[in-house]
């Protein structure tokens, strides 16, 4: 279940303030520096009956839905969309967005992710939409104000409360409406003859991550054998690995838990005329057959801003179950991370096949 924390509480309290100009310290100058920290957030009038859009804040969506509000919610990560007793916003083309005058957001650390969300809100919601976006002060940067100011005429910060703040944005800039979306964004990866597309929250954007580069150097020449051509790019991000494998004749599925990743994987494959199936799932935990010949993976070692290897261990264990006996898992990761014992235990014989100053690439063969 999703539990409210101090950021969620402040977002909810500030959202109840009808006029953000009355909410206290409104000066942009003081957005993150000298603002006084108080114990209490202001409260105010009720939210209107119009639908509220809640982004990246599942506990806030659950809380408002529990109060009987009409709530649409959406998050990048699958787990943030699970078990929320409110309606999921499946598409930014949903006509109900035109009625949305209040959007509540937990600020993503990634400014590109914030830029895409701000653009979508300014473009698709009611012209008088108000955005209330919060985070812990230690995770906020001045760049967040600048990103919001590119899409909204008014941007101001709240007082700090329990080491959290919100940014209020209003006055969606008319330029946003009727113009072409600026996401996904495209770049050429000339040395591999690829066009790469990324959404704001896609890992590494449309650039080639250094770990991925090392892995790509090892797998770009792998060719499928007759009857042994099923491959998965596990945690596919922008889909570079998936697209290269598909171009080499593999039947590829790109798997990722992030909306920004699966959309980018599909877009990158399409831009390169490659056929890649995409699935938004938690690792390969739902993969029913042990039928994969090849899995490639550059696993995450962060969850949000905290270092955490548990998703990587889950990916390794799930790949082990989805590989056929003799199938191979190729992984790249920071050389100091303790993944080799897990690869040997869960998958089978594993060796280091490449390394540079930061990363190692391992090949593990599934034991029967
Ligand atoms: C380090 S990035 C690698 C992305 C891409 N393969 C590349 O090399 O550029 C790790 C990817 O794993 C995804 N991911 C994290 N946890 C996951 C999970 N439990 N299931 C599936 N994908 C996950 C992230 O969304 C991210 O796209």
């Amino acid at each position: 279940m999703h539990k409210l924390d101090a950021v969620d509480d402040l977002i909810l309290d500030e959202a109840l303030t009808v006029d953000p100009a009355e909410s206290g310290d409104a000066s942009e100058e003081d957005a993150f520096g000298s603002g006084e920290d108080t114990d209490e957030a202001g409260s105010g009038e009720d939210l209107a009956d119009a639908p509220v859009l809640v982004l990246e804040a599942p506990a806030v969506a659950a809380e408002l839905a529990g109060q009987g509000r009409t709530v649409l919610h959406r998050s990048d990560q699958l787990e943030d969309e699970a078990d929320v007793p409110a309606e999921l916003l499946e598409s930014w083309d949903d006509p109900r967005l035109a009625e949305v005058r209040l959007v509540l957001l937990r600020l993503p650390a990634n400014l590109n992710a914030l830029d895409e969300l701000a653009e979508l809100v300014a473009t698709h919601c009611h012209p008088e939409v108000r955005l209330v976006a919060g985070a812990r002060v230690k995770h906020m940067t001045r760049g967040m104000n600048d990103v919001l100011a590119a899409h909204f005429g008014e941007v101001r910060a709240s007082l700090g409360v329990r080491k959290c703040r919100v940014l209020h944005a209003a006055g969606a800039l008319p330029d946003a409406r009727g113009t072409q979306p600026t996401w996904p964004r495209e770049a050429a990866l000339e040395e591999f003859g690829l066009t790469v597309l990324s959404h704001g929250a896609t890992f590494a954007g449309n650039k080639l991550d250094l770990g991925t580069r090392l892995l790509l150097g090892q797998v770009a020449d792998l060719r499928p054998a007759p009857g042994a051509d099923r491959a998965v790019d596990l945690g596919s991000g922008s889909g570079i690995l998936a697209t290269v494998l598909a171009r080499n004749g593999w039947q590829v599925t790109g798997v990722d838990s992030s909306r920004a990743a699966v959309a980018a994987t599909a877009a990158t494959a399409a831009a390169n005329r490659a056929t890649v199936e995409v699935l938004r799932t938690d690792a390969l935990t739902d993969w029913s057959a042990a039928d994969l010949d090849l899995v490639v993976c550059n696993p995450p070692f962060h969850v949000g801003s905290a270092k955490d290897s548990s998703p990587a261990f889950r990916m390794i264990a799930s790949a082990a179950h989805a590989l056929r006996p003799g199938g191979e898992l190729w992984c790249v990761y920071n050389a100091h991370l303790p993944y080799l014992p897990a690869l040997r235990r869960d998958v089978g014989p594993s060796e280091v096949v490449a390394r540079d100053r930061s990363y190692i690439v391992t090949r593990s063969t599934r034991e029967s």
Side-chain angles (χ1 to χ4, degrees):
M1 259 334 235
H2 306 285
K3 280 195 171 156
L4 293 171
D5 65 8
V7 174
D8 297 321
D9 286 341
L10 185 60
I11 290 172
L12 284 164
D13 284 344
E14 290 279 329
L16 298 177
T17 306
V18 170
D19 180 2
E22 291 170 10
S23 70
D25 171 17
S27 88
E28 266 195 78
E29 299 310 308
D30 196 28
F32 301 115
S34 58
E36 184 189 327
D37 204 329
T38 68
D39 288 324
E40 299 280 333
S43 63
E45 295 172 32
D46 261 1
L47 295 166
D49 283 340
V52 178
L53 175 60
V54 180
L55 300 170
E56 308 296 334
V60 171
E63 173 67 18
L64 289 177
Q67 293 173 9
R69 314 273 183 195
T70 306
V71 177
L72 295 169
H73 77 103
R74 186 173 169 102
S75 292
D76 183 60
Q77 282 296 327
L78 191 62
E79 65 182 345
D80 290 337
E81 289 187 342
D83 303 322
V84 177
E87 201 170 337
L88 186 64
L89 178 71
E90 295 282 1
S91 162
W92 284 98
D93 293 328
D94 189 319
R96 289 173 298 177
L97 288 174
E99 305 302 317
V100 169
R101 293 164 183 259
L102 179 62
V103 178
L104 309 184
L105 164 71
R106 278 186 81 113
L107 285 159
N110 176 342
L111 292 182
N112 284 333
L114 178 60
D115 184 68
E116 183 167 20
L117 289 174
E119 179 177 290
L120 287 162
V121 168
T123 308
H124 293 280
C125 294
H126 191 280
E128 289 171 16
V129 67
R130 179 161 84 82
L131 176 67
V132 181
R136 295 198 186 282
V137 173
K138 69 178 179 185
H139 295 147
M140 293 174 84
T141 63
R142 174 73 60 178
M144 291 172 170
N145 296 48
D146 299 338
V147 167
L148 292 178
H151 302 284
F152 295 91
E154 301 159 35
V155 179
R156 62 184 105 235
S158 74
L159 286 172
V161 178
R162 293 160 61 200
K163 301 190 185 335
C164 306
R165 279 197 180 213
V166 301
L167 299 178
H168 289 274
L173 294 175
D175 291 3
R177 299 182 169 270
T179 55
Q180 288 297 313
T182 67
W183 297 96
R185 292 187 184 162
E186 185 178 309
L189 193 56
E190 279 165 14
E191 65 184 293
F192 293 99
L194 279 183
T195 300
V196 182
L197 281 96
S198 66
H199 285 273
T202 310
F203 170 81
N206 52 24
K207 307 267 189 315
L208 180 61
D209 170 66
L210 292 177
T212 309
R213 175 183 290 279
L214 193 67
L215 179 56
L216 196 52
Q218 298 299 309
V219 301
D221 293 330
L222 292 182
R223 296 290 185 278
D229 64 354
R230 290 288 290 119
V232 160
D233 177 358
L234 182 52
S236 58
S238 63
I240 293 173
L241 294 164
T243 300
V244 169
L245 292 175
R247 225 170 39 180
N248 289 347
W250 294 91
Q251 300 291 318
V252 184
T253 305
V255 171
D256 206 295
S257 52
S258 146
R259 280 186 179 278
V262 292
T265 296
T268 296
N272 294 281
R273 298 179 200 282
T275 303
V276 173
E277 178 193 35
V278 292
L279 285 180
R280 184 170 176 239
T281 62
D282 175 15
L284 289 168
T285 43
D286 296 334
W287 198 272
S288 49
D291 63 350
L292 293 176
D293 302 294
L294 175 68
V295 176
V296 296
C297 186
N298 176 359
F301 61 98
H302 280 98
V303 174
S305 47
K307 284 190 180 163
D308 185 347
S309 286
S310 51
F313 289 125
R314 212 164 51 249
M315 285 164 124
I316 292 168
S318 72
H321 285 107
L323 283 165
R324 64 163 171 81
E328 292 182 351
L329 169 61
W330 291 66
C331 262
V332 64
Y333 50 91
N334 257 289
H336 69 273
L337 292 169
Y339 295 170
L340 205 47
L343 288 164
R344 291 190 169 129
R345 184 193 62 224
D346 293 348
V347 185
S350 302
E351 58 178 334
V352 175
V353 292
R355 68 168 71 232
D356 63 16
R357 282 170 52 193
S358 308
Y359 298 98
I360 58 176
V361 176
T362 54
R363 179 179 58 197
S364 307
T365 305
R366 178 81 174 106
E367 279 183 324
S368 33

